């Protein structure tokens, strides 16, 4: 089944995807609006004509992506990486200096002591604490300031 890219207005990807998904069209099978892909929505459909008809009444949809005047389609292998989420702890290493951006220690700087990829958690030791206390936080609650690997 071919997958087509639909050009959208910036920041309207989710709206366009929802409107396409809510249409009762038997020839449109799936819609994907990955956060990492701005201004585009991926649509799995029987043909480009089915999508073109659906887009006529959807605001913020700019049309199908064309290459050399031809509507191009993608395979599942080409969009598969959008389907599996990347863990929040990816790119963080032990010894990195991080800033806590959420939770009770927001704004504090810390050093990464341990990473638990299965739980998507990081154990850090606060810099300015009088007594070093290990604190475990979710990976999305920290931002890397300085990395030993760089």
């Amino acid at each position: 089944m071919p997958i087509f890219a639909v050009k959208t207005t910036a920041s309207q990807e989710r709206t366009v995807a929802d409107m396409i998904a809510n249409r009762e069209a038997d020839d449109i099978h799936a819609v994907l609006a990955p956060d990492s892909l701005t201004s585009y929505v991926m649509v799995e459909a029987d043909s480009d004509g089915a999508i073109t008809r659906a887009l006529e009444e959807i605001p913020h949809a700019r049309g199908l992506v064309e290459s050399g005047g031809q509507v191009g389609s993608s395979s599942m292998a080409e969009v598969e990486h959008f389907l599996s989420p990347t863990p929040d702890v990816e790119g963080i290493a032990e010894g990195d200096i991080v800033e806590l951006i959420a939770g009770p220690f927001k704004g504090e700087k810390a050093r990464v002591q341990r990473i638990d990829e299965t739980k998507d958690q990081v154990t850090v030791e606060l810099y300015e604490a009088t007594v070093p206390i290990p604190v475990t936080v979710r990976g999305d609650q920290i931002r890397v300031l300085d990395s030993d690997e760089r």
Side-chain angles (χ1 to χ4, degrees):
M1 188 84 41
I3 299 171
F4 300 92
V6 175
K7 179 85 171 127
T8 68
T9 305
S11 302
Q12 297 297 320
E13 302 88 2
R14 187 80 47 178
T15 305
V16 171
D18 289 342
M19 294 177 94
I20 293 171
N22 290 333
R23 298 186 63 82
E24 296 190 20
D26 292 334
D27 39 10
I28 295 178
H29 304 288
V31 182
L32 175 67
D35 292 333
S36 59
L37 190 63
T38 56
S39 299
Y40 293 96
V41 173
M42 307 306 284
V43 181
E44 182 180 30
D46 291 337
S47 68
D48 59 332
I51 300 170
T52 304
R53 286 189 299 278
L55 297 181
E56 289 174 355
E57 299 171 11
I58 296 178
H60 305 295
R62 300 288 173 235
L64 290 170
V65 175
E66 296 181 9
S67 176
Q70 298 286 332
V71 173
S73 65
S74 301
S75 66
M76 183 59 80
E78 291 176 310
V79 296
E80 211 167 49
H81 65 279
F82 292 121
L83 301 176
S84 56
T86 58
D88 291 323
V89 296
E90 189 173 287
I92 300 171
E94 289 184 16
D96 284 357
I97 307 301
V98 297
E99 178 183 6
L100 296 154
I101 58 172
F105 299 106
K106 181 177 181 179
E108 295 285 329
K109 290 185 173 90
R111 180 178 297 277
V112 175
Q113 298 297 315
R114 187 173 59 246
I115 301 167
D116 186 348
E117 291 185 18
T118 57
K119 293 182 181 178
D120 209 23
Q121 293 179 339
V122 177
T123 302
V124 297
E125 194 173 276
L126 299 176
Y127 255 168
E128 293 154 10
T130 326
V131 178
I133 302 169
V135 178
T136 302
V137 295
R138 291 192 331 255
D140 63 344
Q141 292 183 339
I142 61 173
R143 174 172 59 102
V144 177
L145 296 176
D146 188 24
S147 177
D148 288 343
E149 295 178 358
R150 293 184 188 131

